[in-house]
Amino acid sequence: MLDDQLLPAPPTPLVRSLGVMGVLFLTLSVATPASSVFVIIPGMLQVAGTGAIWAMILAGIVCVATAFVYAELSSAWPVAGGEYVAVAKTLGPLAGFVMLGVNVFNNLFFPPVAGLGISAVLSTVYPGLPEIPVAVAVVAASTLVALLQIRINAWVTGLFLLGEVLALLAVIVLGWSDIVRPFGEFLSAPVMPQAAALVPSSPAAIGLATSIAIFALNGYGAAVYFGEEMREPSRLIARAILASLVLTLLFEIVPTVAVLMGAPDLHALLTADDPFGLIARMRGDGWLANAIAIGVVVAIVNAIIACILACSRFFYGTARDGSWGRPLDRWMTQIHPRFGSPWIGTLIVGGVGVACCFLPLTLLLVLSGTGLVAIYAGIAIAAMVGRRSGATDHARYRMPFYPLAPVITLIALGYVVWTSWLDLEEGRPGLIMTGVQIVVSAGYYWLVLRRRGTWSVHVPDAG
């Protein structure tokens, strides 16, 4: 009896109040298609030109395969901790904690990185905005919003998502309002900029753009972080993941195609730092270009809110599993009595984000590493081992054409690692940093958690 009294009380569970649409809104907000279109895809156009269309098609195939993996594993374990739970359940606790450690960096650094980019996006509308104060204000305000009940946040992010979709629709309409070149030209004879001319897109350039596109289309797997607040997640979470991927593909590929088909000066568009803003200024009035820029900022803020929501749920799961020791584990599993949110964990995530806004952006990008590569590889291997061992036999969703999806994912990741290693400025340092994260996480597990003997992954009743 005395031993029972000494045991800590189990943490309060999260409240199941979301349906498929609520999880879809939150997941699309993490994927933030408008931010990818306006921030990441311009780099693809500069690298591969119109060959970026082939790159997005190839990346789309890879993402479909990875989404099938996510859907099956999330159906088996719809747990707030996300990927590390599935890896721990199939590959063992060491691999699971390594995945957890990589995800800590992957999740924590996105809000400050996104916040620091807002003043640059708004430079054409409000020039001279101070970078750090704007980032601090946005991350702090997003944290306060993330404290609210998850259903309220689903509607808030849904409304913000509508704003970014309208910005993308405006770009599509402007691009297709006066078509200059046919779509088939991008597939049969893609070209890329070289000096002042356009030359055929090289396979190497398209390959590099493909690796960028995989990152641009990422985000659909974030649905699992909201699995413990979803009704019937074992049956429904796969729908949210796959629907999120389909909509992300449409919202990113269609505007890119429209702008390329309608660009009066293709070379100028492909070499521009802001090609989508350029087409807005050329085809629309100044107010429309400004409105689109504001829509992009709305998308970034929306993504920050959704990321803080997902990250606080992730840390709730890690704390429930006893990852950090007292008092952190106790703090991060505290559920607000009114809002039903892990409120102290949310404040900690937001506080770290605000503090990181004072670090140089280049340092944050290096510290972020290339964790997505390790995460995708981990879940692909977990899916195959889970099938072989029977650990995933209880999953309500089963990916089609197994083992094609995880094999495609691993082959694509091998190529991404190779191209990243050849990139001495960003890719190679990112891979090295991810390697450091893996070593540090493994060391923490062996030297702290294994000796303590208390770390285990908890899977609550899926309802």
Side-chain angles (χ1 to χ4, degrees):
M1 179 66 68
L2 180 60
D3 290 341
D4 292 340
Q5 292 174 349
L6 293 175
L7 290 174
T12 304
L14 295 166
V15 179
R16 296 192 182 278
S17 59
L18 295 175
V20 173
M21 291 303 297
V23 174
L24 179 60
F25 287 159
L26 292 165
T27 307
L28 276 175
S29 298
V30 174
T32 183
S35 297
S36 295
V37 167
F38 285 87
V39 178
I40 300 177
I41 289 178
M44 294 170 53
L45 297 177
Q46 293 172 357
V47 167
T50 61
I53 300 301
W54 270 116
M56 296 185 80
I57 292 172
L58 295 173
I61 294 172
V62 174
C63 289
V64 167
T66 310
F68 283 148
V69 173
Y70 262 111
E72 180 166 317
L73 293 178
S74 298
S75 174
W77 298 289
V79 182
E83 296 92 347
Y84 85 84
V85 175
V87 172
K89 288 293 184 180
T90 53
L91 305 180
L94 174 59
F97 194 82
V98 166
M99 182 67 62
L100 183 158
V102 172
N103 238 337
V104 166
F105 292 90
N106 210 50
N107 288 334
L108 276 181
F109 288 133
F110 176 80
V113 167
L116 289 169
I118 286 179
S119 58
V121 176
L122 280 176
S123 60
T124 57
V125 184
Y126 302 107
L129 283 176
E131 181 181 77
I132 294 177
V134 168
V136 168
V138 168
V139 174
S142 299
T143 301
L144 295 179
V145 173
L147 290 172
L148 300 176
Q149 210 270 345
I150 191 69
R151 286 187 67 186
I152 296 175
N153 271 292
W155 284 108
V156 169
T157 54
L159 291 173
F160 276 38
L161 190 64
L162 177 61
E164 64 176 286
V165 169
L166 290 175
L168 293 173
L169 289 175
V171 169
I172 293 171
V173 170
L174 291 173
W176 279 342
S177 63
D178 186 8
I179 296 176
V180 177
R181 58 193 59 82
F183 171 75
E185 184 178 299
F186 306 144
L187 301 180
S188 61
V191 294
M192 65 181 188
Q194 188 176 89
L198 293 173
V199 299
S201 299
S202 67
I206 293 175
L208 179 58
T210 301
S211 66
I212 299 173
I214 291 173
F215 287 88
L217 295 168
N218 177 54
Y220 42 86
V224 68
Y225 295 117
F226 307 108
E228 290 185 42
E229 291 161 288
M230 185 181 194
R231 294 184 293 268
E232 299 185 82
S234 296
R235 184 174 68 88
L236 299 176
I237 197 166
R239 298 184 190 178
I241 292 171
L242 298 177
S244 175
L245 173 64
V246 170
L247 291 174
T248 300
L249 290 171
L250 288 174
F251 290 153
E252 294 190 24
I253 293 177
V254 175
T256 305
V257 170
V259 166
L260 290 175
M261 292 178 68
D265 186 339
L266 186 58
H267 186 276
L269 183 89
L270 296 178
T271 55
D273 292 330
D274 182 18
F276 297 92
L278 177 63
I279 199 74
R281 291 188 294 273
M282 294 176 65
R283 290 277 172 83
D285 295 328
W287 70 267
L288 182 57
N290 291 342
I292 290 175
I294 293 173
V296 177
V297 172
V298 167
I300 295 173
V301 172
N302 196 29
I304 292 173
I305 294 172
C307 183
I308 293 174
L309 286 166
C311 193
S312 62
R313 272 70 183 168
F314 165 76
F315 276 105
Y316 170 87
T318 66
R320 180 177 55 199
D321 294 339
S323 301
W324 315 115
R326 298 180 181 179
L328 277 177
D329 286 339
R330 185 175 71 253
W331 289 345
M332 289 191 288
T333 53
Q334 292 295 308
I335 301 298
H336 194 281
R338 179 181 177 185
F339 299 133
S341 61
W343 68 283
I344 297 180
T346 302
L347 291 174
I348 292 174
V349 170
V352 172
V354 168
C356 288
C357 290
F358 294 93
L359 297 176
L361 180 59
T362 52
L363 176 61
L364 289 174
L365 292 173
V366 170
L367 291 175
S368 299
T370 52
L372 187 62
V373 173
I375 292 167
Y376 278 7
I379 63 168
I381 296 171
M384 292 190 289
V385 173
R387 281 282 189 118
R388 177 169 295 183
S389 66
T392 56
D393 285 352
H394 65 288
R396 297 284 295 275
Y397 175 85
R398 307 289 278 179
M399 72 181 83
F401 310 115
Y402 176 83
L404 189 59
V407 169
I408 289 176
T409 299
L410 291 172
I411 292 173
L413 292 176
Y415 180 77
V416 170
V417 169
W418 177 62
T419 56
S420 297
W421 187 257
L422 296 179
D423 180 7
L424 299 180
E425 294 184 2
E426 297 180 8
R428 188 173 297 185
L431 288 174
I432 293 172
M433 180 52 61
T434 299
V436 171
Q437 294 167 10
I438 291 172
V439 171
V440 169
S441 301
Y444 182 84
Y445 174 81
W446 278 99
L447 299 177
V448 178
L449 297 180
R450 190 168 180 270
R451 289 185 177 183
R452 192 189 298 165
T454 57
W455 192 76
S456 62
V457 175
H458 295 79
V459 178
D461 183 8

